[in-house]
Amino acid sequence: MTNRIFRLGLGLLLAGLASSALAAATPDAALAPRGAYVARAADCAACHTAPGGKPYAGGYAIASPLGAIYATNITPSKNAGIGNWSEAQFARAVREGVAADGHRLYPAMPYAEYSGMTDEDVHALYAYLITQVAPVDKAPTQRTQLGFPYNLRSLMAGWNLLFLDRQRNTPAAGASPQLARGRYLVDVLGHCGSCHTPRNLFMASDRGAYLAGGDVDGWHAPNLTSDPVSGIGGWSEDELAGFLRNGHAPGKAQAAGGMAEAVEHSLRYLSDDDLHAIAAYLKSVPAKARPGQTQPAYTFGQTAERAYDFDNAQSATTLAAIGKARAAAADVEAQRSNVAGVTDGAILFDSACASCHQPSGSGTADHYYPSLFHNTVTGAATPNNLVMAILRGVSRQGADGAAFMPGFAGDMDDGQVAAVANFVAAHFGNPALTVTAGEVAQLRVGGPAPAIQRAMPWLMGGAILVVLLAIALAARLVRRKRSP
Ligand code: HEC
Ligand code: HEC
Ligand code: HEC
């Protein structure tokens, strides 16, 4: 432990020296194009630009399970942004989570991942933000106000001591330049693990389950390890690169939720070489299997060749189920235009989904409306993304065009969402996948509370107990000293 602290101290000292070397430089506009690319790859705008707001002016709410955390204004404004920050102060915020005035940032700002950013990239990023971004002289109106004890920002110092130094980006010895670049893009700039690696009790990445799949705001960011069943082992490098660029891989997956944002704001702008470096690196990540999963999520349902053949066994079963439900229903036409009160999954599917995904679930031949079989969402081991896609829909701009599916959160209650999700999973996806109305209710509000929040009453109770014991002990010592 002392050794760790010593190493950390030494690291901070060296970082300090490196930072003061950086401070001497003035922003160099010639570096701005490189800085703009770093900003894209690191997806700074995704959080620091509010929907419809000015670039980098802040105000976007990151839905943390502990409450909303608002990203700040990082335009070069002198009164509301980072216009007065030196490069050393900027570097410290990005890599160590400490703002210019010394306050600690919450790890919602992914500094634990950015801690591995190279000096050259920080330098170029600073040049870009200071010289190319239009200053916005207004701080976001929303301010982060987490409840006690999370409002104590100094607690983050302890968090950093425990979790920050572990994430330094050091490529494996002997890694090829492509794999080293891929790892840098995945771990540092792309901070893929902030969603795809599960969190431990303290909301830090669980390094033992690196890229093995994590939960974010109700969505499940799937396993990206090379495991052929639970991970991306069965994807080709081209499929992965295409998915990152366009947001969809026909016959495998589509990007919604946080992944849609990563594609829209960041990944679709990356060079082909960088996307292939990411894909090659992911395929080299040691496999981590999900216990109990026996079949890749994208292999459920009929084969891709038969997907548009409406006259096959699977489509026939689905159409028969819909027909039967329709025959039993009282007023079919009314239900088609209004799903209020409809509880049957087949009718809900026919009314709300089949117009785009087709009654057979096959989607359209151009894949604009994707098939619901051979789809990692419907064949998944958890119902999260199926439910979230139904609730929130899909909205994404990729390199090859836009994708839009409406969300049904306002039209369907929890029971209806569960019914249509169960129908879809049973007919097109993993038949073992089921979801209850209660689970839908939980996903609607962003998924179950994290362990730290559930444990907090106990932790707090424990902390108070320790403090009381310490006071009691001190009091006894004082009394003993006084009495001769
Ligand atoms: C996943 C969301 C997210 C991404 C991506 C992100 N940030 Fe942040 N950033 C935040 C949040 C949230 C805060 C405020 C944290 C707080 O209040 O503790 C913040 C704070 C900051 C601050 C401190 C500003 C201040 O006024 O205190 C700087 C500087 C900053 N970010 C720069 C960047 C840069 C540069 C990038 C890209 C390399 C980036 N951020 C990417 C969410 C993000
Ligand atoms: C903000 C959270 C977030 C970040 C950051 C993120 N992802 Fe994702 N990713 C997701 C979610 C959620 C899904 C599931 C999307 C869906 O099914 O609609 C996903 C899906 C994927 C898939 C498809 C997997 C499958 O089995 O369907 C791949 C591949 C992927 N992400 C790669 C990456 C890479 C590489 C990065 C970093 C460059 C990254 N992601 C960054 C949240 C994220
Ligand atoms: C207006 C057309 C439309 C309707 C109606 C519609 N969808 Fe979609 N759906 C889409 C499009 C477009 C996509 C995304 C395609 C892409 O990303 O390339 C999509 C994607 C999906 C996905 C994959 C989501 C992911 O995260 O990967 C699922 C699952 C899905 N839809 C199920 C449904 C269900 C169930 C319903 C009915 C409750 C429904 N859709 C209604 C057009 C529609």
Side-chain angles (χ1 to χ4, degrees), residues 185-186 190-192 194-196 216 219-224 232 235 240 243-244 253-259 262 267 278 282 376-377 385:
L185 287 162
V186 166
H191 56 277
C192 315
S194 64
C195 296
H196 287 275
V216 244
W219 297 86
H220 181 71
N223 184 323
L224 296 183
I232 50 80
W235 293 53
L240 281 168
F243 176 85
L244 300 173
Q254 296 80 40
M259 194 63 206
L267 298 166
I278 293 177
L282 290 180
T376 55
V377 166
N385 293 348

Side-chain angles (χ1 to χ4, degrees), residues 38-39 42-48 60 62 69-74 80-82 85 89-90 93-94 99-101 103-110 114 117 125 129 144 153 189 191 194:
V38 174
D43 212 359
C44 310
C47 296
H48 285 280
Y60 180 88
I62 288 127
I69 299 178
Y70 294 93
T72 49
N73 179 333
I74 57 165
I82 59 163
W85 292 33
Q89 289 172 321
F90 173 74
V94 172
D101 66 5
H103 80 259
R104 305 267 167 184
L105 303 178
Y106 293 115
M109 159 71 190
Y114 296 153
M117 204 183 288
L125 189 54
L129 289 172
T144 305
R153 285 176 175 270
L189 297 186
H191 56 277
S194 64

